[in-house]
Amino acid sequence: SDHDLIYPLKPSEMDWSPFYPKYFSSDSKESTKKVEIIDVGCGYGGLLVALAPLFPDQLILGMEIRTKVEDYVKKRIDALRAQNKNDLYQNISVMRMNAMKFLPNFFEPGQLSKMFFLFPDPHFKRKKHKNRIISPNLLSEYAYLLKVGGILYTATDVKELHEWMVEKCDAHPLFERIPDEELSNDPCIRCILNETEEGKKVARNKGDKYFAVYRRIEDPDE
Ligand code: SAM
């Protein structure tokens, strides 16, 4: 259950120092840095590790609801930090949390530049579709947290879920699909398909992978 999850009442009350000790001193919540990239349902952390050297100046956070998995990722990051005496891997961290509930408690409107939703749980049954992490309501929340020009990445091996995510994102007024051919220079595409544990598993089983990438656009009514 979520009852034992601790979350701040508002983003300014969040203490990030345990997550990014190199960037936040423990006696102060003030820092020039803010989390800009999040991996929602990060699993075992393969994407975080791959993104760390690609975006050395940005703070990247994985969010994971399963305690044991979060624990694993924490240890993985601690080990990488210990092995790398330079600042490599100081910019990635993981938090146990239910991303379907509390995101706006952690981030200010427009704070995020990238959100990743990779190989999310498919929730096949129609009655369970409300548990899908991409939905019209949640997309409005994601649009609120992403800056204009920010990017939302989705990937899955489940064709039906891919079509669902595309349908919901296409229909949302604050998102616009980035055509696949415009993404050939985006280093994140290789990562989203090949660097997560789930993506690797699909590759081993020679399964298909689908992705769709969206840009947060300006609100036409503002
Ligand atoms: N993205 C990873 C990958 O590609 O390897 C993991 C994919 S796994 C199929 C989906 C993950 O999302 C699981 O680790 C699950 O515990 C996590 N998850 C599901 N619902 C969540 C939620 N509401 N908040 C945070 N994490 C969630």
Side-chain angles (χ1 to χ4, degrees):
S1 81
D2 302 330
H3 298 299
D4 56 336
L5 289 176
I6 298 166
Y7 57 95
L9 287 175
K10 51 180 199 271
S12 58
E13 290 182 6
M14 178 65 191
D15 179 9
W16 291 103
S17 61
F19 297 87
Y20 305 99
K22 262 261 146 73
Y23 296 104
F24 295 81
S25 62
S26 54
D27 57 347
S28 156
K29 291 176 189 160
E30 297 300 315
S31 168
T32 51
K33 286 222 187 279
K34 287 183 171 184
V35 172
E36 274 191 58
I37 300 176
I38 65 174
D39 182 10
V40 179
C42 66
Y44 294 94
L47 182 80
L48 298 171
V49 174
L51 292 181
L54 289 180
F55 302 99
D57 298 323
Q58 275 156 308
L59 299 186
I60 306 167
L61 183 69
M63 301 185 150
E64 175 50 55
I65 202 166
R66 286 182 291 167
T67 312
K68 277 189 184 151
V69 178
E70 182 242 18
D71 207 48
Y72 172 93
V73 178
K74 218 182 245 170
K75 292 195 173 113
R76 183 177 182 181
I77 293 171
D78 283 346
L80 285 167
R81 285 179 177 176
Q83 285 160 21
N84 290 274
K85 290 297 173 209
N86 49 16
D87 282 353
L88 196 53
Y89 304 113
Q90 294 292 339
N91 62 330
I92 58 173
S93 194
V94 64
M95 177 190 286
R96 177 161 173 252
M97 93 135 196
N98 184 345
M100 290 177 80
K101 291 195 178 169
F102 304 122
L103 284 183
N105 292 72
F106 291 89
F107 309 113
E108 312 274 357
Q111 178 173 335
L112 302 177
S113 61
K114 293 182 194 298
M115 298 181 82
F116 292 91
F117 298 87
L118 306 183
F119 302 92
D121 297 327
H123 298 294
F124 285 108
K125 294 195 184 121
R126 182 168 289 273
K127 264 193 348 209
K128 297 267 179 187
H129 285 178
K130 61 180 188 318
N131 296 336
R132 286 182 169 171
I133 198 91
I134 296 285
S135 70
N137 282 341
L138 286 171
L139 278 171
S140 292
E141 188 174 291
Y142 305 153
Y144 172 80
L145 299 174
L146 277 168
K147 62 184 68 161
V148 170
I151 301 181
L152 181 150
Y153 295 84
T154 71
T156 179
D157 56 322
V158 179
K159 189 155 188 264
E160 188 234 305
L161 178 64
H162 171 68
E163 287 164 356
W164 157 285
M165 295 195 289
V166 165
E167 184 190 310
K168 303 304 171 203
C169 295
D170 278 350
H172 198 284
L174 297 183
F175 286 102
E176 167 186 272
R177 187 156 182 185
I178 303 179
D180 292 353
E181 53 278 13
E182 274 177 39
L183 292 164
S184 51
N185 290 327
D186 183 340
C188 295
I189 299 301
R190 181 186 59 77
C191 295
I192 67 171
L193 294 177
N194 304 321
E195 300 286 357
T196 78
E197 282 64 29
E198 200 60 33
K200 286 179 181 162
K201 193 164 101 191
V202 176
R204 277 197 302 276
N205 297 335
K206 305 212 175 355
D208 293 323
K209 295 182 211 173
Y210 310 93
F211 67 93
V213 181
Y214 287 81
R215 188 182 290 112
R216 163 72 157 92
I217 55 174
E218 212 131 3
D219 189 339
D221 296 331
E222 269 176 12

